[in-house]
Amino acid sequence: MDRRSEPNRSAIYATTLVAFLAIAGIAVVDPILPAIGDAIGVTAWQVELLFTAYIAVMALGMIPATLASGRFGFKPVLITGVSVVGVAAILASFSDSIVQLSVLRGVWGLGNAMFFATAMVVLVNLAVDREWVVGLFETALGLGFAVGPLIGGLLGEVSWRLPFFVCGVFMVLALGVAARKLREPTNRQAPVRVGQIFATYRRPAFIALCVVTGTYNFVFFVVLGYTPLFLGLDVIPLGLAFTGWGLGLAAGILVVGHRLAHRIGAVQTVGVAIAGLLVCMVLFATSTSTAEALVVLVLSGLCMGLANANLTDLALGLGSSDRRVATGAFNLVRWGAAAPAPIISGKLAEHSLSLPYWVGFGVLAVGVLVYLAFAHLMAAGYGERVLWSRWNRVAAGTEHAPEEPVGEAY
């Protein structure tokens, strides 16, 4: 399709740019976590508050952000979210205590909740070619996870405060672009009610997907939040290490994830991803050198990319037909399950450096068991098949057929 036939290209590119900056803002903290701990004089679990506060508030903010988008429109909520992130990031660069930093990271998470509750719906409604716009959005997210740690590492070598400040400045610039270029979708939808969101959890296949996603996201933030402390590298090498992780993530999303899903189905691709990540947890816990741990870090990013390329597609196919409702219900579980992972990892590390990975293995193992028991339901609801055909026959007709799926990654 000729991209010139897209009438809202500037608005789509503006939203995608903000998505890139929002994800880079999450990942920019990774390389500077040890430096923050040394500068402020706090323990590992206290440093991990920067992640837990951010993710917890983001999870709790998803529902009110979804409700607000239905009441006030997508553009005002999205621009408000970008503004909140920019202000919180700049103020964080002047913080003197872990409490101040954690509070501001929580405010930062609230701003990101406003953005992520609206961005994908805006893009899908503005675009003529949905496949193109989803690919563009996923590209921005993958690159954000790859570039964020590099920015954090390079700037953090000067001062741990500088990555926060620069991220805030970028968001202010993005705000100017968003205010000028973003457009409200013309097909205005009715406001969302809280009951609609929680009613989505009555669908058995959707519940199974949420359990699998919750355990996966817990492990995602064990890797993202704890591994910077586990590796024990300086700021720039740590930034490069997580840039490698981000490139693995991007490759999983952009190169492998959807291609594999086209061959074996989205449900089975998620199964491959969580099985691979389960192995990575064992390899992390038993690694005997930094080089070995770095290889596992990149491999874990690839597995996470496979999962991220397909999980939201499945959520939108198995959840409510209203994408706002399905996304809100799914993101509440996704981020809510991730929130305790960093701080739990920090406390466990006081007993053993490998213990957070063993606990992550145990949590994800639960998700793998749920996946094995209910993958046939998810596949049937999504219009796919899994290898165990006998269960497919039992599951036939038990779930609704999905509408055209739309992809999203973090």
Side-chain angles (χ1 to χ4, degrees):
M1 177 179 176
D2 188 353
R3 299 291 168 250
R4 289 174 295 183
S5 64
E6 290 285 354
N8 299 309
R9 277 188 302 159
S10 60
I12 290 170
Y13 288 139
T15 307
T16 305
L17 172 63
V18 178
F20 166 78
L21 293 172
I23 287 296
I26 298 175
V28 76
V29 177
D30 267 332
I32 58 175
L33 283 179
I36 292 173
D38 292 340
I40 299 180
V42 294
T43 62
W45 76 265
Q46 290 173 316
V47 171
E48 295 294 349
L49 282 171
L50 298 184
F51 270 112
T52 290
Y54 173 92
I55 303 167
V57 175
M58 188 171 177
L60 295 174
M62 281 295 174
I63 289 182
T66 301
L67 299 179
S69 67
R71 181 175 178 83
F72 302 109
F74 295 110
K75 182 176 179 178
V77 174
L78 192 150
I79 289 179
T80 300
V82 174
S83 305
V84 169
V85 170
V87 171
I90 291 175
L91 290 177
S93 69
F94 296 99
S95 298
D96 294 319
S97 71
I98 195 65
V99 174
Q100 292 176 359
L101 270 174
S102 298
V103 169
L104 288 169
R105 282 288 283 179
V107 175
W108 191 330
L110 179 61
N112 262 15
M114 296 180 189
F115 172 76
F116 282 108
T118 55
M120 177 51 70
V121 181
V122 169
L123 287 173
V124 168
N125 281 278
L126 288 176
V128 175
D129 185 345
R130 290 182 176 179
E131 183 177 353
W132 167 68
V133 79
V134 168
L136 189 67
F137 189 71
E138 290 174 344
T139 301
L141 298 182
L143 291 177
F145 270 123
V147 174
L150 183 61
I151 294 173
L154 294 175
L155 298 178
E157 181 71 8
V158 179
S159 168
W160 66 263
R161 300 178 185 274
L162 194 55
F164 287 114
F165 184 82
V166 171
C167 184
V169 171
F170 282 167
M171 294 306 289
V172 171
L173 294 175
L175 174 63
V177 174
R180 289 183 59 248
K181 297 294 186 179
L182 288 188
R183 295 182 185 177
E184 190 74 24
T186 54
N187 53 335
R188 187 69 179 268
Q189 295 172 291
V192 176
R193 299 187 304 275
V194 175
Q196 291 176 269
I197 295 176
F198 286 99
T200 310
Y201 298 122
R202 297 175 184 170
R203 302 169 184 262
F206 186 77
I207 293 174
L209 178 67
C210 285
V211 172
V212 172
T213 303
T215 61
Y216 159 73
N217 254 46
F218 181 93
V219 169
F220 188 102
F221 278 92
V222 169
V223 174
L224 189 62
Y226 172 65
T227 305
L229 304 179
F230 176 75
L231 291 175
L233 297 173
D234 291 333
V235 174
I236 290 182
L238 196 54
L240 293 173
F242 271 88
T243 296
W245 170 83
L247 291 174
L249 183 81
I253 294 172
L254 305 175
V255 180
V256 184
H258 289 300
R259 292 181 182 180
L260 188 60
H262 289 155
R263 293 183 65 88
I264 67 173
V267 173
Q268 293 190 145
T269 299
V270 169
V272 171
I274 60 175
L277 191 56
L278 194 67
V279 173
C280 287
M281 290 297 100
V282 176
L283 294 177
F284 267 128
T286 58
S287 61
T288 56
S289 68
T290 300
E292 184 180 346
L294 290 174
V295 171
V296 178
L297 181 63
V298 176
L299 289 175
S300 70
L302 180 63
C303 293
M304 292 170 178
L306 295 181
N308 285 4
N310 293 283
L311 281 172
T312 304
D313 275 351
L314 290 171
L316 293 173
L318 299 176
S320 170
S321 59
D322 188 328
R323 291 188 176 94
R324 299 169 300 167
V325 173
T327 301
F330 183 64
N331 282 334
L332 176 61
V333 172
R334 163 185 274 180
W335 295 106
I343 194 169
I344 289 175
S345 297
K347 291 297 289 183
L348 292 173
E350 295 177 358
H351 303 283
S352 168
L353 293 179
S354 63
L355 189 56
Y357 296 116
W358 286 122
V359 171
F361 173 87
V363 171
L364 188 57
V366 173
V368 171
L369 291 175
V370 171
Y371 172 87
L372 291 173
F374 297 102
H376 62 291
L377 286 179
M378 292 187 283
Y382 199 65
E384 295 180 349
R385 296 180 63 84
V386 290
L387 291 175
W388 36 104
S389 58
R390 182 174 62 85
W391 287 359
N392 262 292
R393 289 195 296 271
V394 174
T398 59
E399 293 288 332
H400 68 285
E403 59 176 318
E404 180 184 356
V406 180
E408 180 184 352
Y410 332 157

